[in-house]
């Protein structure tokens, strides 16, 4: 297994929805191993394949001494309970922001051999599973922040020593912006 370089905010692979895994083979097992090693080396609670430049629906996690992975995850939420707490990301190193997530999640998918797998998570595990599945959909956790908090987060990102403005694409909110409303709610122009 090999520790891979992590892609930082701005890399287009982080904004591209990942493809479903169709081949459960040796290459997939190597990818899972690389994700685990890279996650551990960097002290992460989770890592998704796009974060190392691979556009496949795979992520690993290390939460409460439980290390694992999930392939082609589908999430269900058994209730409407929410949690709010600090969230960070290996693709935005050193930055943490309060982020709302669902408190409970049931994630279904497969292990590296293609066997069905289910993760029932609450608290930190639920946060991790949602965060990593977002990566597989091309969503970064700051997309989930309220507008004012997102603006603050983007200012902090622009000050980070790893930030490369030439390689940055900001995801547009899925909520409609009135065409006469003026500049983007993200403060970055249209």
């Amino acid at each position: 297994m090999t520790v891979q370089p992590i892609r930082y905010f701005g890399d287009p692979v982080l904004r591209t929805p990942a493809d479903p895994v169709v081949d459960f083979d040796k290459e997939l097992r190597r990818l899972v191993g690389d994700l685990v090693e890279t996650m551990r080396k960097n002290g992460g609670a989770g890592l998704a394949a796009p974060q190392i430049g691979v556009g496949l629906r795979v992520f690993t996690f290390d939460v409460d001494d439980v290390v694992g992975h999930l392939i082609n995850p589908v999430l269900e939420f058994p209730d409407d309970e929410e949690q709010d707490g600090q969230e960070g990301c290996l693709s935005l190193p050193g930055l943490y922001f309060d982020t709302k997530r669902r408190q409970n999640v049931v994630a279904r998918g497969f292990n590296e051999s293609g066997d069905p797998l289910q993760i029932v998570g609450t608290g930190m595990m639920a946060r991790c599973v949602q965060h990593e599945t977002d990566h597989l959909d091309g969503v970064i956790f700051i997309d989930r922040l309220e507008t004012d908090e997102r603006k603050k987060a983007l200012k902090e990102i622009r000050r980070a020593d790893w930030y490369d403005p030439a390689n940055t694409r900001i995801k547009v909110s899925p909520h409609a912006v009135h065409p006469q409303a003026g500049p983007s709610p993200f403060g970055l122009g249209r």
Side-chain angles (χ1 to χ4, degrees), residues 23-32:
D23 295 320
F24 292 81
D25 56 12
K26 182 179 178 179
E27 287 183 33
L28 178 64
R29 289 187 294 282
R30 184 178 307 120
L31 172 61
V32 169

Side-chain angles (χ1 to χ4, degrees), residues 34-111:
D34 288 354
L35 284 167
V36 169
E37 289 302 311
T38 304
M39 174 184 65
R40 285 181 167 163
K41 169 76 171 146
N42 288 279
L47 187 65
Q51 292 180 272
I52 62 168
V54 179
L56 290 174
R57 295 187 68 79
V58 180
F59 71 80
T60 57
F61 57 88
D62 184 353
V63 177
D64 298 328
D65 297 321
V66 177
V67 178
H69 65 277
L70 191 60
I71 298 167
N72 298 337
V74 175
L75 305 186
E76 296 175 18
F77 301 99
D79 56 48
D80 292 331
E81 189 177 352
E82 291 185 334
Q83 58 174 308
D84 193 6
Q86 289 275 298
E87 194 162 319
C89 181
L90 293 174
S91 292
L92 289 92
L95 302 178
Y96 299 88
F97 305 101
D98 283 339
T99 307
K100 284 187 182 179
R101 294 282 185 183
R102 299 294 279 278
Q103 177 68 21
N104 303 295
V105 67
V106 176
R108 291 183 174 83
F110 302 91
N111 69 15

Side-chain angles (χ1 to χ4, degrees), residues 8-11 14-15 91-92 140 142 154 157 162 168 170:
Y8 293 137
F9 177 83
D11 189 309
L14 296 174
R15 292 301 192 180
S91 292
L92 289 92
I140 298 174
I142 62 169
L154 291 170
I157 289 168
W162 50 262
T168 300
I170 304 297

Side-chain angles (χ1 to χ4, degrees), residues 106-124:
V106 176
R108 291 183 174 83
F110 302 91
N111 69 15
E112 64 188 8
S113 300
D115 299 322
L117 182 63
Q118 175 176 292
I119 298 169
V120 177
T122 188
M124 182 61 180

